[in-house]
Amino acid sequence: MRKGVKPSFSKKWLHRRRPLSELAGDGKGAFVIIFALMLPLLIWSIGVGVEVGNWYANLRNLQGAADAAAVAGVYEVWDASSISDSQTELLPRATAEAERNGLNASASDTITLNYYDEIAAGDYSTDYSTDNGAVEVILSQAVDLYFAGWFMDTSTVTVNAQAVATLGTSSEACVLTLGTSGTGFSASGNSTVDLSGCSIAVNSTDSDDAMQTSGGSTTVNTDCYSVVGGTDFQDPDNVTTSCSSASTGAHAATDPYADTVQPVESDYTSRCTSVPTCNAAVNTGSLEEGVYSQLTLQGTVDLAGGVYYIKGGNLKVNANAVITNNDGLGVTFFLTNDGSNWPTVTISGGAQMTLSAPDDDTNPYYGLLFYQDQDTPPTQAITLNGGADTNFTGALYFPSGDVSVSGNSSMDSTCIQIISYTVSFSGDTDMDNDCDMLSSGSGNSIDIEEVTLVE
């Protein structure tokens, strides 16, 4: 080594031997120390975040199970004619649906079901304790703690979820067919069915053609349709709806007049018991309510308000007849039997009818324009023939009737309901109903119901 030259490694060696106090004063060294001190807190924060996320994920899944269970409970209410014990009749189906969505009822998870009057007021923003279609489900689930368990006295935390579902009305129908087999509703031969503000309900379970259309120019325009069975539309583009979920495989709609008390013959004056006399009595002029063995209307006839009790014989409106009721009180035709004889209804081509049902809701036959005895054997013929022009306001209630509208007939109505065993439109017929939801002055509503989560 040359004189006066120092070793080149001496300062590096001294640098490595600097005391910790000097390291602390170095910027890079300070960062290392701070990071080391903060690392446990950082790990704890990440662990807690993951744990809380796990709680919320479990809560979200549990809420989905509660929603599904509440909906299943309401479907059980819907399917049953009555519920006497919610724990026996509703809880099994609700539990099965909750378990299908992740609940483990055989472990520590629990399910509580309350049927409408068991729902405590104040549980939710709205009290459903008076809604006899409402079902409340409360689920509890123990969630394991992984990281947070190191700092807590327990290894699990309980999460809870609650849901309320009920039956709601998705739309109201102005055509309801009550027959449970075969084709309930059909439109064919260039017919046009235009239902404004209302829907079609078909209770037939026929899987192929409970509701059917045929003929290239046949059109059906309705708010919605609800069919228990299936549909067969020759041209689906000609069946238009404005709802989001026109449905097949639906629940049957309820007959809105099933509980209406039928007229009693002795309450009314006997007007006509001889068929020839009856025919002669209605040839132009006015007519009063009462009991008729049959009724044939021809010429120009004004009907006074009240109940026309047709016993055994048929109700006929002949060609070119003009039939009105101008006193504003409304009429109800009640059709019942005389022994084995059951009335049919025929409105012939060229007839004009402008009739309204009683619009006073204190009247026992409020909203009923035609009322067929509910004991009538099925498939009685109710015929509106070619060229007839009717303007009806009220319900055409034929629970056992095959209502047929055919051959250039027109039904242009302010507010009409057709409740029948079946209904068919054919041959250039036109039905135009302009009635917004049938909610005012038209009788009982035909509700198309759906299960709805409300909380």
Side-chain angles (χ1 to χ4, degrees):
M1 182 181 296
R2 289 182 297 172
K3 184 177 180 180
V5 179
K6 297 181 179 180
S8 60
F9 59 82
S10 59
K11 289 185 178 181
K12 292 182 180 180
W13 182 83
L14 290 173
H15 177 73
R16 294 192 184 101
R17 295 291 303 273
R18 283 188 301 175
L20 187 60
S21 59
E22 293 183 18
L23 182 63
D26 187 284
K28 295 180 180 179
F31 173 77
V32 172
I33 294 172
I34 293 172
F35 178 77
L37 294 173
M38 293 294 294
L39 185 59
L41 180 61
L42 180 62
I43 294 173
W44 183 86
S45 299
I46 293 172
V48 169
V50 171
E51 198 82 80
V52 171
N54 183 54
W55 295 348
Y56 276 107
N58 279 276
L59 178 59
R60 183 175 61 251
N61 294 337
L62 194 66
Q63 186 62 58
D67 293 346
V71 167
V74 175
Y75 271 110
E76 188 70 23
V77 173
W78 204 355
D79 290 339
S81 57
S82 62
I83 301 295
S84 59
D85 183 350
S86 63
Q87 300 308 302
T88 300
E89 298 175 62
L90 304 182
L91 186 59
R93 184 166 176 177
T95 301
E97 192 63 24
E99 289 180 330
R100 198 175 71 85
N101 285 270
L103 186 78
N104 188 356
S106 62
S108 58
D109 300 350
T110 63
I111 177 170
T112 302
L113 182 143
N114 297 315
Y115 183 38
Y116 77 107
D117 58 355
E118 301 164 337
I119 300 175
D123 280 1
Y124 292 94
S125 57
T126 304
D127 178 19
Y128 291 91
S129 63
T130 59
D131 182 345
N132 61 7
V135 170
E136 176 189 46
V137 168
I138 304 170
L139 302 184
S140 296
Q141 186 175 67
V143 178
D144 291 329
L145 297 177
Y146 300 105
F147 184 83
W150 298 349
F151 309 98
M152 300 174 65
D153 294 333
T154 179
S155 60
T156 61
V157 64
T158 300
V159 294
N160 301 296
Q162 294 174 292
V164 174
T166 190
L167 281 174
T169 300
S170 62
S171 63
E172 293 183 19
C174 54
V175 174
L176 165 61
T177 63
L178 299 172
T180 57
S181 62
T183 299
F185 177 100
S186 66
S188 61
N190 303 318
S191 57
T192 300
V193 182
D194 187 10
L195 306 177
S196 175
C198 63
S199 300
I200 298 168
V202 179
N203 284 357
S204 171
T205 61
D206 191 293
S207 60
D208 296 322
D209 53 6
M211 180 177 177
Q212 183 184 70
T213 65
S214 59
S217 299
T218 296
T219 62
V220 176
N221 178 33
T222 180
D223 276 10
C224 209
Y225 60 79
S226 176
V227 183
V228 176
T231 60
D232 180 15
F233 301 148
Q234 179 173 333
D235 187 347
D237 291 338
N238 286 350
V239 179
T240 59
T241 64
S242 58
C243 65
S244 59
S245 57
S247 61
T248 57
H251 272 68
T254 301
D255 178 350
Y257 296 101
D259 297 329
T260 302
V261 177
Q262 299 188 160
V264 178
E265 181 180 356
S266 60
D267 291 342
Y268 302 95
T269 301
S270 179
R271 299 289 182 185
C272 186
T273 57
S274 169
V275 172
T277 304
C278 287
N279 285 337
V282 296
N283 186 8
T284 302
S286 60
L287 206 63
E288 300 292 326
E289 72 166 0
V291 179
Y292 295 81
S293 61
Q294 78 167 27
L295 199 53
T296 299
L297 303 176
Q298 56 194 35
T300 300
V301 181
D302 183 39
L303 305 177
V307 173
Y308 291 78
Y309 193 107
I310 315 300
K311 183 180 179 181
N314 298 325
L315 173 61
K316 297 181 181 179
V317 180
N318 286 347
N320 302 314
V322 179
I323 313 300
T324 58
N325 71 291
N326 291 318
D327 63 8
L329 298 179
V331 299
T332 299
F333 295 99
F334 178 66
L335 310 168
T336 190
N337 67 311
D338 184 6
S340 60
N341 297 320
W342 294 89
T344 63
V345 177
T346 302
I347 301 174
S348 299
Q352 299 178 49
M353 301 181 72
T354 303
L355 298 173
S356 297
D359 61 4
D360 178 0
D361 60 10
T362 63
N363 188 310
Y365 311 114
Y366 165 64
L368 281 167
L369 183 57
F370 290 88
Y371 183 6
Q372 184 185 56
D373 189 323
Q374 294 169 3
D375 293 329
T376 304
T379 68
Q380 294 294 304
I382 313 298
T383 306
L384 178 63
N385 282 321
D389 184 4
T390 62
N391 189 328
F392 292 147
T393 299
L396 281 61
Y397 181 54
F398 299 106
S400 302
D402 287 338
V403 175
S404 173
V405 185
S406 62
N408 298 308
S409 297
S410 173
M411 298 181 72
D412 186 6
S413 304
T414 302
C415 201
I416 189 174
Q417 293 173 315
I418 298 177
I419 303 101
S420 57
Y421 196 79
T422 68
V423 63
S424 63
F425 299 88
S426 62
D428 294 317
T429 63
D430 179 72
M431 177 180 174
D432 184 13
N433 187 65
D434 183 16
C435 182
D436 188 9
M437 300 299 284
L438 299 168
S439 59
S440 60
S442 62
N444 299 337
S445 63
I446 306 170
D447 294 333
I448 296 178
E449 295 182 309
E450 64 180 358
V451 178
T452 305
L453 276 170
V454 291
E455 296 285 358

